Amino acid sequence: MAKVELKQPVVAEIAELFNGAKGAVVVDYRGLTVEQDTQLRKQLREAGVTYKVYKNTMIRFAFEALEPNLEGPTALAVSKEDATAPARILAEFAKKADKLEIKGGVVEDTYYDAKGMQVIATIPSREVLLGKLLGSMQSPITNF
C-alpha cells in the first residue's frame, strides 16, 4: 500500500472536521503535563469541542487557511456549535498552563492570528449574550 493511500483517510477526517465547523483554533501544546492535557481535553469535550493532534502536512492538505500557523507540534480544536468556544476555553486554560500557546484560528470562515484569537476569546457564548439581551429588554418593564 502506498503512503498516499495511508494519508488520504486522515486528510478526509480533518476535512470532515472542518466541514460545517463554526470555529477552529490551532495551538502549540509543547510543555503541557499529562495531567494538564487531560484536564484540557475534558473541558473541551464538555463544551462539545473536538480536540486532536495531527501532522502539519495533513492539516495543510485538508485546510490551507491555517498554513501560516503550521509549524512545530500542532493540536486542533474545532467546534461545530459555538464559534468562540474553542478560543475561549483554550485562552482560559492558557492562563493556568503558560506552556499552551494559541497560534491562530478560523472563526466563521475568517482567519485570525494569535492576537485576533485572544480578542475572540473574550466574546461570551451565544447563550450569555442572549441572556444579557433578554435582561436588558426586561429591565424597563420590571422598573415600571
Side-chain angles (χ1 to χ4, degrees), residues 31-41 93 96-99:
L32 287 182
T33 64
V34 173
E35 181 183 336
Q36 289 172 327
D37 190 50
T38 304
Q39 289 173 352
L40 176 62
R41 287 175 187 268
F93 194 82
K96 294 181 258 176
D98 58 341
K99 298 286 186 186

Side-chain angles (χ1 to χ4, degrees), residues 61-122:
F61 287 139
F63 198 74
E64 293 176 5
L66 294 173
E67 189 167 350
N69 302 102
L70 299 178
E71 208 166 292
T74 302
L76 191 60
V78 180
S79 175
K80 293 191 179 203
E81 298 162 11
D82 186 358
T84 61
R88 199 172 49 252
I89 294 168
L90 289 167
E92 187 63 34
F93 194 82
K95 291 177 185 175
K96 294 181 258 176
D98 58 341
K99 298 286 186 186
L100 185 69
E101 177 191 342
I102 296 177
K103 295 180 181 182
V106 175
V107 175
E108 300 288 341
D109 296 325
T110 305
Y111 170 78
Y112 296 96
D113 61 356
K115 290 180 182 177
M117 291 311 293
Q118 291 295 339
V119 172
I120 288 173
T122 61

